[in-house]
PDB file of all heavy atoms in Angstrom:
ATOM      1  N   ASP M 187       8.078  -3.049 -10.046  1.00 83.00           N
ATOM      2  CA  ASP M 187       8.669  -2.720 -11.351  1.00 83.00           C
ATOM      3  C   ASP M 187       9.560  -1.480 -11.254  1.00 83.00           C
ATOM      4  O   ASP M 187      10.637  -1.423 -11.859  1.00 83.00           O
ATOM      5  CB  ASP M 187       7.569  -2.489 -12.390  1.00 83.00           C
ATOM      6  CG  ASP M 187       6.882  -3.792 -12.794  1.00 83.00           C
ATOM      7  OD1 ASP M 187       7.446  -4.869 -12.540  1.00 83.00           O
ATOM      8  OD2 ASP M 187       5.766  -3.722 -13.347  1.00 83.00           O
ATOM      9  N   LEU M 188       9.098  -0.485 -10.492  1.00 85.00           N
ATOM     10  CA  LEU M 188       9.889   0.735 -10.332  1.00 85.00           C
ATOM     11  C   LEU M 188      11.189   0.452  -9.568  1.00 85.00           C
ATOM     12  O   LEU M 188      12.256   0.963  -9.929  1.00 85.00           O
ATOM     13  CB  LEU M 188       9.071   1.801  -9.592  1.00 85.00           C
ATOM     14  CG  LEU M 188       7.894   2.404 -10.370  1.00 85.00           C
ATOM     15  CD1 LEU M 188       7.074   3.318  -9.483  1.00 85.00           C
ATOM     16  CD2 LEU M 188       8.391   3.176 -11.584  1.00 85.00           C
ATOM     17  N   VAL M 189      11.097  -0.369  -8.524  1.00 88.00           N
ATOM     18  CA  VAL M 189      12.306  -0.735  -7.771  1.00 88.00           C
ATOM     19  C   VAL M 189      13.280  -1.496  -8.669  1.00 88.00           C
ATOM     20  O   VAL M 189      14.500  -1.268  -8.632  1.00 88.00           O
ATOM     21  CB  VAL M 189      11.931  -1.581  -6.535  1.00 88.00           C
ATOM     22  CG1 VAL M 189      13.187  -2.155  -5.870  1.00 88.00           C
ATOM     23  CG2 VAL M 189      11.162  -0.734  -5.520  1.00 88.00           C
ATOM     24  N   LYS M 190      12.750  -2.385  -9.514  1.00 86.00           N
ATOM     25  CA  LYS M 190      13.596  -3.151 -10.430  1.00 86.00           C
ATOM     26  C   LYS M 190      14.318  -2.237 -11.409  1.00 86.00           C
ATOM     27  O   LYS M 190      15.524  -2.402 -11.672  1.00 86.00           O
ATOM     28  CB  LYS M 190      12.751  -4.168 -11.198  1.00 86.00           C
ATOM     29  CG  LYS M 190      13.576  -5.104 -12.068  1.00 86.00           C
ATOM     30  CD  LYS M 190      12.699  -6.139 -12.755  1.00 86.00           C
ATOM     31  CE  LYS M 190      13.533  -7.085 -13.621  1.00 86.00           C
ATOM     32  NZ  LYS M 190      12.681  -8.100 -14.286  1.00 86.00           N
ATOM     33  N   SER M 191      13.599  -1.239 -11.932  1.00 83.00           N
ATOM     34  CA  SER M 191      14.242  -0.295 -12.860  1.00 83.00           C
ATOM     35  C   SER M 191      15.321   0.514 -12.147  1.00 83.00           C
ATOM     36  O   SER M 191      16.359   0.833 -12.728  1.00 83.00           O
ATOM     37  CB  SER M 191      13.188   0.641 -13.471  1.00 83.00           C
ATOM     38  OG  SER M 191      12.669   1.531 -12.501  1.00 83.00           O
ATOM     39  N   GLY M 192      15.092   0.829 -10.867  1.00 84.00           N
ATOM     40  CA  GLY M 192      16.103   1.538 -10.075  1.00 84.00           C
ATOM     41  C   GLY M 192      17.333   0.699  -9.831  1.00 84.00           C
ATOM     42  O   GLY M 192      18.465   1.200  -9.869  1.00 84.00           O
ATOM     43  N   GLU M 193      17.135  -0.598  -9.598  1.00 84.00           N
ATOM     44  CA  GLU M 193      18.264  -1.510  -9.401  1.00 84.00           C
ATOM     45  C   GLU M 193      19.086  -1.641 -10.679  1.00 84.00           C
ATOM     46  O   GLU M 193      20.320  -1.658 -10.642  1.00 84.00           O
ATOM     47  CB  GLU M 193      17.755  -2.879  -8.963  1.00 84.00           C
ATOM     48  CG  GLU M 193      17.214  -2.913  -7.534  1.00 84.00           C
ATOM     49  CD  GLU M 193      16.605  -4.255  -7.170  1.00 84.00           C
ATOM     50  OE1 GLU M 193      15.982  -4.886  -8.054  1.00 84.00           O
ATOM     51  OE2 GLU M 193      16.726  -4.678  -6.015  1.00 84.00           O
ATOM     52  N   GLN M 194      18.389  -1.714 -11.818  1.00 82.00           N
ATOM     53  CA  GLN M 194      19.084  -1.882 -13.089  1.00 82.00           C
ATOM     54  C   GLN M 194      19.839  -0.624 -13.500  1.00 82.00           C
ATOM     55  O   GLN M 194      20.912  -0.701 -14.104  1.00 82.00           O
ATOM     56  CB  GLN M 194      18.086  -2.266 -14.185  1.00 82.00           C
ATOM     57  CG  GLN M 194      17.501  -3.664 -14.007  1.00 82.00           C
ATOM     58  CD  GLN M 194      16.383  -3.967 -14.974  1.00 82.00           C
ATOM     59  OE1 GLN M 194      15.823  -3.063 -15.609  1.00 82.00           O
ATOM     60  NE2 GLN M 194      16.024  -5.234 -15.100  1.00 82.00           N
ATOM     61  N   SER M 195      19.281   0.545 -13.166  1.00 78.00           N
ATOM     62  CA  SER M 195      19.922   1.808 -13.558  1.00 78.00           C
ATOM     63  C   SER M 195      20.944   2.290 -12.535  1.00 78.00           C
ATOM     64  O   SER M 195      21.695   3.235 -12.809  1.00 78.00           O
ATOM     65  CB  SER M 195      18.848   2.891 -13.749  1.00 78.00           C
ATOM     66  OG  SER M 195      18.174   3.152 -12.524  1.00 78.00           O
ATOM     67  N   GLY M 196      20.943   1.672 -11.347  1.00 79.00           N
ATOM     68  CA  GLY M 196      21.871   2.100 -10.306  1.00 79.00           C
ATOM     69  C   GLY M 196      21.465   3.390  -9.634  1.00 79.00           C
ATOM     70  O   GLY M 196      22.290   4.060  -8.999  1.00 79.00           O
ATOM     71  N   ALA M 197      20.202   3.759  -9.758  1.00 82.00           N
ATOM     72  CA  ALA M 197      19.704   5.007  -9.154  1.00 82.00           C
ATOM     73  C   ALA M 197      18.543   4.692  -8.214  1.00 82.00           C
ATOM     74  O   ALA M 197      17.464   5.271  -8.311  1.00 82.00           O
ATOM     75  CB  ALA M 197      19.266   5.978 -10.242  1.00 82.00           C
ATOM     76  N   LEU M 198      18.768   3.766  -7.298  1.00 86.00           N
ATOM     77  CA  LEU M 198      17.703   3.308  -6.406  1.00 86.00           C
ATOM     78  C   LEU M 198      17.218   4.433  -5.493  1.00 86.00           C
ATOM     79  O   LEU M 198      16.029   4.498  -5.164  1.00 86.00           O
ATOM     80  CB  LEU M 198      18.203   2.128  -5.570  1.00 86.00           C
ATOM     81  CG  LEU M 198      17.139   1.236  -4.908  1.00 86.00           C
ATOM     82  CD1 LEU M 198      16.180   0.671  -5.934  1.00 86.00           C
ATOM     83  CD2 LEU M 198      17.801   0.113  -4.131  1.00 86.00           C
ATOM     84  N   ASP M 199      18.125   5.331  -5.089  1.00 87.00           N
ATOM     85  CA  ASP M 199      17.720   6.432  -4.213  1.00 87.00           C
ATOM     86  C   ASP M 199      16.730   7.365  -4.903  1.00 87.00           C
ATOM     87  O   ASP M 199      15.727   7.779  -4.313  1.00 87.00           O
ATOM     88  CB  ASP M 199      18.946   7.207  -3.722  1.00 87.00           C
ATOM     89  CG  ASP M 199      19.820   7.699  -4.868  1.00 87.00           C
ATOM     90  OD1 ASP M 199      19.721   7.131  -5.985  1.00 87.00           O
ATOM     91  OD2 ASP M 199      20.611   8.649  -4.657  1.00 87.00           O
ATOM     92  N   ARG M 200      16.993   7.692  -6.184  1.00 87.00           N
ATOM     93  CA  ARG M 200      16.090   8.575  -6.938  1.00 87.00           C
ATOM     94  C   ARG M 200      14.749   7.881  -7.203  1.00 87.00           C
ATOM     95  O   ARG M 200      13.691   8.515  -7.152  1.00 87.00           O
ATOM     96  CB  ARG M 200      16.737   8.999  -8.256  1.00 87.00           C
ATOM     97  CG  ARG M 200      17.901   9.956  -8.084  1.00 87.00           C
ATOM     98  CD  ARG M 200      18.125  10.804  -9.331  1.00 87.00           C
ATOM     99  NE  ARG M 200      18.379   9.969 -10.504  1.00 87.00           N
ATOM    100  CZ  ARG M 200      19.592   9.550 -10.875  1.00 87.00           C
ATOM    101  NH1 ARG M 200      20.644   9.884 -10.153  1.00 87.00           N
ATOM    102  NH2 ARG M 200      19.750   8.816 -11.955  1.00 87.00           N
ATOM    103  N   ILE M 201      14.808   6.580  -7.490  1.00 87.00           N
ATOM    104  CA  ILE M 201      13.571   5.837  -7.747  1.00 87.00           C
ATOM    105  C   ILE M 201      12.711   5.784  -6.489  1.00 87.00           C
ATOM    106  O   ILE M 201      11.492   5.977  -6.544  1.00 87.00           O
ATOM    107  CB  ILE M 201      13.888   4.410  -8.249  1.00 87.00           C
ATOM    108  CG1 ILE M 201      14.486   4.462  -9.654  1.00 87.00           C
ATOM    109  CG2 ILE M 201      12.627   3.541  -8.256  1.00 87.00           C
ATOM    110  CD1 ILE M 201      13.555   5.021 -10.719  1.00 87.00           C
ATOM    111  N   PHE M 202      13.342   5.531  -5.349  1.00 89.00           N
ATOM    112  CA  PHE M 202      12.577   5.492  -4.093  1.00 89.00           C
ATOM    113  C   PHE M 202      11.988   6.861  -3.769  1.00 89.00           C
ATOM    114  O   PHE M 202      10.895   6.960  -3.215  1.00 89.00           O
ATOM    115  CB  PHE M 202      13.457   5.005  -2.935  1.00 89.00           C
ATOM    116  CG  PHE M 202      13.276   3.544  -2.636  1.00 89.00           C
ATOM    117  CD1 PHE M 202      14.237   2.622  -3.000  1.00 89.00           C
ATOM    118  CD2 PHE M 202      12.128   3.085  -1.999  1.00 89.00           C
ATOM    119  CE1 PHE M 202      14.072   1.266  -2.737  1.00 89.00           C
ATOM    120  CE2 PHE M 202      11.951   1.743  -1.729  1.00 89.00           C
ATOM    121  CZ  PHE M 202      12.919   0.826  -2.098  1.00 89.00           C
ATOM    122  N   ASP M 203      12.713   7.922  -4.136  1.00 89.00           N
ATOM    123  CA  ASP M 203      12.173   9.268  -3.940  1.00 89.00           C
ATOM    124  C   ASP M 203      10.927   9.473  -4.808  1.00 89.00           C
ATOM    125  O   ASP M 203       9.924  10.031  -4.349  1.00 89.00           O
ATOM    126  CB  ASP M 203      13.243  10.310  -4.279  1.00 89.00           C
ATOM    127  CG  ASP M 203      12.782  11.723  -3.950  1.00 89.00           C
ATOM    128  OD1 ASP M 203      12.397  11.956  -2.795  1.00 89.00           O
ATOM    129  OD2 ASP M 203      12.772  12.573  -4.858  1.00 89.00           O
ATOM    130  N   ARG M 204      10.972   8.994  -6.062  1.00 86.00           N
ATOM    131  CA  ARG M 204       9.819   9.094  -6.957  1.00 86.00           C
ATOM    132  C   ARG M 204       8.644   8.260  -6.435  1.00 86.00           C
ATOM    133  O   ARG M 204       7.497   8.698  -6.455  1.00 86.00           O
ATOM    134  CB  ARG M 204      10.190   8.616  -8.367  1.00 86.00           C
ATOM    135  CG  ARG M 204      11.009   9.601  -9.159  1.00 86.00           C
ATOM    136  CD  ARG M 204      11.197   9.131 -10.595  1.00 86.00           C
ATOM    137  NE  ARG M 204      11.848  10.147 -11.394  1.00 86.00           N
ATOM    138  CZ  ARG M 204      11.225  11.166 -11.966  1.00 86.00           C
ATOM    139  NH1 ARG M 204       9.927  11.308 -11.807  1.00 86.00           N
ATOM    140  NH2 ARG M 204      11.895  12.055 -12.689  1.00 86.00           N
ATOM    141  N   ILE M 205       8.950   7.045  -5.966  1.00 88.00           N
ATOM    142  CA  ILE M 205       7.882   6.188  -5.431  1.00 88.00           C
ATOM    143  C   ILE M 205       7.261   6.830  -4.192  1.00 88.00           C
ATOM    144  O   ILE M 205       6.037   6.795  -4.005  1.00 88.00           O
ATOM    145  CB  ILE M 205       8.429   4.783  -5.078  1.00 88.00           C
ATOM    146  CG1 ILE M 205       8.980   4.084  -6.311  1.00 88.00           C
ATOM    147  CG2 ILE M 205       7.323   3.920  -4.473  1.00 88.00           C
ATOM    148  CD1 ILE M 205       9.710   2.779  -6.019  1.00 88.00           C
ATOM    149  N   ALA M 206       8.103   7.432  -3.350  1.00 89.00           N
ATOM    150  CA  ALA M 206       7.605   8.083  -2.134  1.00 89.00           C
ATOM    151  C   ALA M 206       6.662   9.231  -2.484  1.00 89.00           C
ATOM    152  O   ALA M 206       5.584   9.364  -1.885  1.00 89.00           O
ATOM    153  CB  ALA M 206       8.782   8.595  -1.297  1.00 89.00           C
ATOM    154  N   ILE M 207       7.055  10.047  -3.464  1.00 88.00           N
ATOM    155  CA  ILE M 207       6.188  11.149  -3.904  1.00 88.00           C
ATOM    156  C   ILE M 207       4.877  10.601  -4.440  1.00 88.00           C
ATOM    157  O   ILE M 207       3.794  11.100  -4.108  1.00 88.00           O
ATOM    158  CB  ILE M 207       6.901  12.002  -4.978  1.00 88.00           C
ATOM    159  CG1 ILE M 207       8.093  12.736  -4.366  1.00 88.00           C
ATOM    160  CG2 ILE M 207       5.932  12.998  -5.606  1.00 88.00           C
ATOM    161  CD1 ILE M 207       8.988  13.407  -5.387  1.00 88.00           C
ATOM    162  N   TYR M 208       4.974   9.543  -5.258  1.00 86.00           N
ATOM    163  CA  TYR M 208       3.773   8.931  -5.843  1.00 86.00           C
ATOM    164  C   TYR M 208       2.839   8.392  -4.753  1.00 86.00           C
ATOM    165  O   TYR M 208       1.633   8.644  -4.770  1.00 86.00           O
ATOM    166  CB  TYR M 208       4.193   7.794  -6.782  1.00 86.00           C
ATOM    167  CG  TYR M 208       3.046   6.913  -7.227  1.00 86.00           C
ATOM    168  CD1 TYR M 208       2.119   7.373  -8.153  1.00 86.00           C
ATOM    169  CD2 TYR M 208       2.888   5.634  -6.708  1.00 86.00           C
ATOM    170  CE1 TYR M 208       1.059   6.570  -8.554  1.00 86.00           C
ATOM    171  CE2 TYR M 208       1.838   4.829  -7.098  1.00 86.00           C
ATOM    172  CZ  TYR M 208       0.925   5.299  -8.030  1.00 86.00           C
ATOM    173  OH  TYR M 208      -0.121   4.508  -8.403  1.00 86.00           O
ATOM    174  N   LYS M 209       3.416   7.675  -3.785  1.00 87.00           N
ATOM    175  CA  LYS M 209       2.612   7.095  -2.700  1.00 87.00           C
ATOM    176  C   LYS M 209       1.977   8.183  -1.845  1.00 87.00           C
ATOM    177  O   LYS M 209       0.808   8.079  -1.440  1.00 87.00           O
ATOM    178  CB  LYS M 209       3.494   6.192  -1.831  1.00 87.00           C
ATOM    179  CG  LYS M 209       3.794   4.829  -2.434  1.00 87.00           C
ATOM    180  CD  LYS M 209       2.562   3.946  -2.352  1.00 87.00           C
ATOM    181  CE  LYS M 209       2.818   2.537  -2.787  1.00 87.00           C
ATOM    182  NZ  LYS M 209       1.594   1.724  -2.765  1.00 87.00           N
ATOM    183  N   GLU M 210       2.755   9.219  -1.537  1.00 87.00           N
ATOM    184  CA  GLU M 210       2.235  10.313  -0.701  1.00 87.00           C
ATOM    185  C   GLU M 210       1.092  11.039  -1.404  1.00 87.00           C
ATOM    186  O   GLU M 210       0.078  11.363  -0.783  1.00 87.00           O
ATOM    187  CB  GLU M 210       3.370  11.284  -0.369  1.00 87.00           C
ATOM    188  CG  GLU M 210       4.361  10.733   0.650  1.00 87.00           C
ATOM    189  CD  GLU M 210       5.692  11.465   0.647  1.00 87.00           C
ATOM    190  OE1 GLU M 210       5.884  12.379  -0.191  1.00 87.00           O
ATOM    191  OE2 GLU M 210       6.548  11.118   1.480  1.00 87.00           O
ATOM    192  N   LYS M 211       1.259  11.285  -2.708  1.00 85.00           N
ATOM    193  CA  LYS M 211       0.195  11.945  -3.469  1.00 85.00           C
ATOM    194  C   LYS M 211      -1.052  11.061  -3.549  1.00 85.00           C
ATOM    195  O   LYS M 211      -2.180  11.542  -3.427  1.00 85.00           O
ATOM    196  CB  LYS M 211       0.693  12.277  -4.882  1.00 85.00           C
ATOM    197  CG  LYS M 211       1.821  13.290  -4.951  1.00 85.00           C
ATOM    198  CD  LYS M 211       1.333  14.691  -4.703  1.00 85.00           C
ATOM    199  CE  LYS M 211       2.437  15.716  -4.935  1.00 85.00           C
ATOM    200  NZ  LYS M 211       1.975  17.096  -4.669  1.00 85.00           N
ATOM    201  N   ALA M 212      -0.827   9.745  -3.766  1.00 83.00           N
ATOM    202  CA  ALA M 212      -1.952   8.814  -3.868  1.00 83.00           C
ATOM    203  C   ALA M 212      -2.727   8.744  -2.561  1.00 83.00           C
ATOM    204  O   ALA M 212      -3.971   8.740  -2.554  1.00 83.00           O
ATOM    205  CB  ALA M 212      -1.445   7.423  -4.263  1.00 83.00           C
ATOM    206  N   GLU M 213      -2.007   8.698  -1.432  1.00 85.00           N
ATOM    207  CA  GLU M 213      -2.672   8.638  -0.126  1.00 85.00           C
ATOM    208  C   GLU M 213      -3.403   9.938   0.185  1.00 85.00           C
ATOM    209  O   GLU M 213      -4.493   9.929   0.767  1.00 85.00           O
ATOM    210  CB  GLU M 213      -1.637   8.344   0.970  1.00 85.00           C
ATOM    211  CG  GLU M 213      -1.159   6.911   0.995  1.00 85.00           C
ATOM    212  CD  GLU M 213      -2.285   5.914   1.127  1.00 85.00           C
ATOM    213  OE1 GLU M 213      -3.082   6.030   2.080  1.00 85.00           O
ATOM    214  OE2 GLU M 213      -2.403   5.029   0.263  1.00 85.00           O
ATOM    215  N   ALA M 214      -2.801  11.069  -0.210  1.00 84.00           N
ATOM    216  CA  ALA M 214      -3.458  12.356   0.005  1.00 84.00           C
ATOM    217  C   ALA M 214      -4.752  12.437  -0.799  1.00 84.00           C
ATOM    218  O   ALA M 214      -5.781  12.918  -0.309  1.00 84.00           O
ATOM    219  CB  ALA M 214      -2.517  13.498  -0.386  1.00 84.00           C
ATOM    220  N   LEU M 215      -4.706  11.943  -2.054  1.00 81.00           N
ATOM    221  CA  LEU M 215      -5.888  11.947  -2.914  1.00 81.00           C
ATOM    222  C   LEU M 215      -6.979  11.051  -2.333  1.00 81.00           C
ATOM    223  O   LEU M 215      -8.161  11.418  -2.295  1.00 81.00           O
ATOM    224  CB  LEU M 215      -5.499  11.473  -4.310  1.00 81.00           C
ATOM    225  CG  LEU M 215      -6.513  11.681  -5.446  1.00 81.00           C
ATOM    226  CD1 LEU M 215      -6.834  13.147  -5.625  1.00 81.00           C
ATOM    227  CD2 LEU M 215      -5.979  11.090  -6.742  1.00 81.00           C
ATOM    228  N   LYS M 216      -6.560   9.866  -1.865  1.00 82.00           N
ATOM    229  CA  LYS M 216      -7.518   8.932  -1.268  1.00 82.00           C
ATOM    230  C   LYS M 216      -8.164   9.550  -0.023  1.00 82.00           C
ATOM    231  O   LYS M 216      -9.369   9.395   0.220  1.00 82.00           O
ATOM    232  CB  LYS M 216      -6.793   7.636  -0.899  1.00 82.00           C
ATOM    233  CG  LYS M 216      -7.718   6.465  -0.579  1.00 82.00           C
ATOM    234  CD  LYS M 216      -6.939   5.274  -0.060  1.00 82.00           C
ATOM    235  CE  LYS M 216      -5.969   4.728  -1.079  1.00 82.00           C
ATOM    236  NZ  LYS M 216      -5.231   3.537  -0.558  1.00 82.00           N
ATOM    237  N   SER M 217      -7.358  10.239   0.768  1.00 83.00           N
ATOM    238  CA  SER M 217      -7.866  10.873   1.988  1.00 83.00           C
ATOM    239  C   SER M 217      -8.892  11.957   1.661  1.00 83.00           C
ATOM    240  O   SER M 217      -9.916  12.087   2.352  1.00 83.00           O
ATOM    241  CB  SER M 217      -6.693  11.472   2.774  1.00 83.00           C
ATOM    242  OG  SER M 217      -7.143  12.184   3.889  1.00 83.00           O
ATOM    243  N   LYS M 218      -8.628  12.719   0.595  1.00 79.00           N
ATOM    244  CA  LYS M 218      -9.570  13.768   0.199  1.00 79.00           C
ATOM    245  C   LYS M 218     -10.906  13.185  -0.236  1.00 79.00           C
ATOM    246  O   LYS M 218     -11.971  13.711   0.102  1.00 79.00           O
ATOM    247  CB  LYS M 218      -8.965  14.598  -0.940  1.00 79.00           C
ATOM    248  CG  LYS M 218      -7.800  15.473  -0.517  1.00 79.00           C
ATOM    249  CD  LYS M 218      -7.064  16.018  -1.723  1.00 79.00           C
ATOM    250  CE  LYS M 218      -5.747  16.678  -1.338  1.00 79.00           C
ATOM    251  NZ  LYS M 218      -4.934  17.032  -2.522  1.00 79.00           N
ATOM    252  N   ILE M 219     -10.855  12.084  -0.993  1.00 78.00           N
ATOM    253  CA  ILE M 219     -12.092  11.452  -1.461  1.00 78.00           C
ATOM    254  C   ILE M 219     -12.881  10.877  -0.287  1.00 78.00           C
ATOM    255  O   ILE M 219     -14.104  11.002  -0.212  1.00 78.00           O
ATOM    256  CB  ILE M 219     -11.772  10.358  -2.502  1.00 78.00           C
ATOM    257  CG1 ILE M 219     -11.160  10.994  -3.749  1.00 78.00           C
ATOM    258  CG2 ILE M 219     -13.025   9.577  -2.883  1.00 78.00           C
ATOM    259  CD1 ILE M 219     -10.604  10.010  -4.744  1.00 78.00           C
ATOM    260  N   LYS M 220     -12.160  10.246   0.662  1.00 80.00           N
ATOM    261  CA  LYS M 220     -12.827   9.717   1.851  1.00 80.00           C
ATOM    262  C   LYS M 220     -13.478  10.834   2.659  1.00 80.00           C
ATOM    263  O   LYS M 220     -14.583  10.681   3.185  1.00 80.00           O
ATOM    264  CB  LYS M 220     -11.816   8.969   2.731  1.00 80.00           C
ATOM    265  CG  LYS M 220     -11.467   7.586   2.215  1.00 80.00           C
ATOM    266  CD  LYS M 220     -10.523   6.886   3.175  1.00 80.00           C
ATOM    267  CE  LYS M 220     -10.181   5.484   2.678  1.00 80.00           C
ATOM    268  NZ  LYS M 220      -9.209   4.807   3.586  1.00 80.00           N
ATOM    269  N   LYS M 221     -12.778  11.975   2.724  1.00 76.00           N
ATOM    270  CA  LYS M 221     -13.320  13.122   3.437  1.00 76.00           C
ATOM    271  C   LYS M 221     -14.612  13.599   2.790  1.00 76.00           C
ATOM    272  O   LYS M 221     -15.578  13.952   3.471  1.00 76.00           O
ATOM    273  CB  LYS M 221     -12.284  14.258   3.440  1.00 76.00           C
ATOM    274  CG  LYS M 221     -12.740  15.527   4.135  1.00 76.00           C
ATOM    275  CD  LYS M 221     -11.683  16.617   4.001  1.00 76.00           C
ATOM    276  CE  LYS M 221     -12.188  17.937   4.559  1.00 76.00           C
ATOM    277  NZ  LYS M 221     -11.204  19.033   4.346  1.00 76.00           N
ATOM    278  N   ALA M 222     -14.639  13.581   1.452  1.00 72.00           N
ATOM    279  CA  ALA M 222     -15.833  14.023   0.732  1.00 72.00           C
ATOM    280  C   ALA M 222     -17.009  13.084   0.973  1.00 72.00           C
ATOM    281  O   ALA M 222     -18.170  13.510   0.977  1.00 72.00           O
ATOM    282  CB  ALA M 222     -15.537  14.113  -0.763  1.00 72.00           C
ATOM    283  N   MET M 223     -16.727  11.785   1.161  1.00 74.00           N
ATOM    284  CA  MET M 223     -17.788  10.786   1.302  1.00 74.00           C
ATOM    285  C   MET M 223     -18.219  10.581   2.758  1.00 74.00           C
ATOM    286  O   MET M 223     -19.385  10.298   3.028  1.00 74.00           O
ATOM    287  CB  MET M 223     -17.308   9.434   0.746  1.00 74.00           C
ATOM    288  CG  MET M 223     -16.918   9.470  -0.712  1.00 74.00           C
ATOM    289  SD  MET M 223     -18.327   9.822  -1.764  1.00 74.00           S
ATOM    290  CE  MET M 223     -17.601   9.586  -3.372  1.00 74.00           C
ATOM    291  N   PHE M 224     -17.277  10.710   3.691  1.00 77.00           N
ATOM    292  CA  PHE M 224     -17.556  10.314   5.070  1.00 77.00           C
ATOM    293  C   PHE M 224     -18.585  11.220   5.738  1.00 77.00           C
ATOM    294  O   PHE M 224     -19.515  10.724   6.390  1.00 77.00           O
ATOM    295  CB  PHE M 224     -16.256  10.320   5.879  1.00 77.00           C
ATOM    296  CG  PHE M 224     -16.457  10.004   7.336  1.00 77.00           C
ATOM    297  CD1 PHE M 224     -16.665   8.699   7.745  1.00 77.00           C
ATOM    298  CD2 PHE M 224     -16.454  11.010   8.292  1.00 77.00           C
ATOM    299  CE1 PHE M 224     -16.869   8.398   9.087  1.00 77.00           C
ATOM    300  CE2 PHE M 224     -16.655  10.720   9.631  1.00 77.00           C
ATOM    301  CZ  PHE M 224     -16.861   9.413  10.024  1.00 77.00           C
ATOM    302  N   TYR M 225     -18.421  12.530   5.587  1.00 72.00           N
ATOM    303  CA  TYR M 225     -19.288  13.458   6.319  1.00 72.00           C
ATOM    304  C   TYR M 225     -20.768  13.265   5.991  1.00 72.00           C
ATOM    305  O   TYR M 225     -21.583  13.078   6.897  1.00 72.00           O
ATOM    306  CB  TYR M 225     -18.847  14.899   6.050  1.00 72.00           C
ATOM    307  CG  TYR M 225     -19.671  15.929   6.787  1.00 72.00           C
ATOM    308  CD1 TYR M 225     -19.530  16.100   8.154  1.00 72.00           C
ATOM    309  CD2 TYR M 225     -20.597  16.715   6.111  1.00 72.00           C
ATOM    310  CE1 TYR M 225     -20.291  17.039   8.833  1.00 72.00           C
ATOM    311  CE2 TYR M 225     -21.365  17.655   6.784  1.00 72.00           C
ATOM    312  CZ  TYR M 225     -21.205  17.812   8.148  1.00 72.00           C
ATOM    313  OH  TYR M 225     -21.967  18.729   8.815  1.00 72.00           O
TER     314      TYR M 225
END
């Protein structure tokens, strides 16, 4: 959906930057939770 909105607005580079930040934050959060549970 985010990629589609980027295609429609003509700002695909900015949308991909937002998705990248979102994915990186989500993976970092997941890693922290796994760290809390694994030990």
Side-chain angles (χ1 to χ4, degrees):
D187 288 343
L188 290 173
V189 171
K190 186 177 180 180
S191 69
E193 288 175 324
Q194 291 172 345
S195 63
L198 199 57
D199 55 339
R200 290 205 302 271
I201 291 297
F202 262 106
D203 186 55
R204 284 187 173 277
I205 299 172
I207 293 170
Y208 168 73
K209 283 286 186 183
E210 287 161 357
K211 295 285 187 181
E213 285 304 305
L215 193 60
K216 194 187 297 181
S217 175
K218 290 167 191 172
I219 295 171
K220 283 183 179 178
K221 179 184 174 184
M223 300 295 187
F224 177 77
Y225 181 73

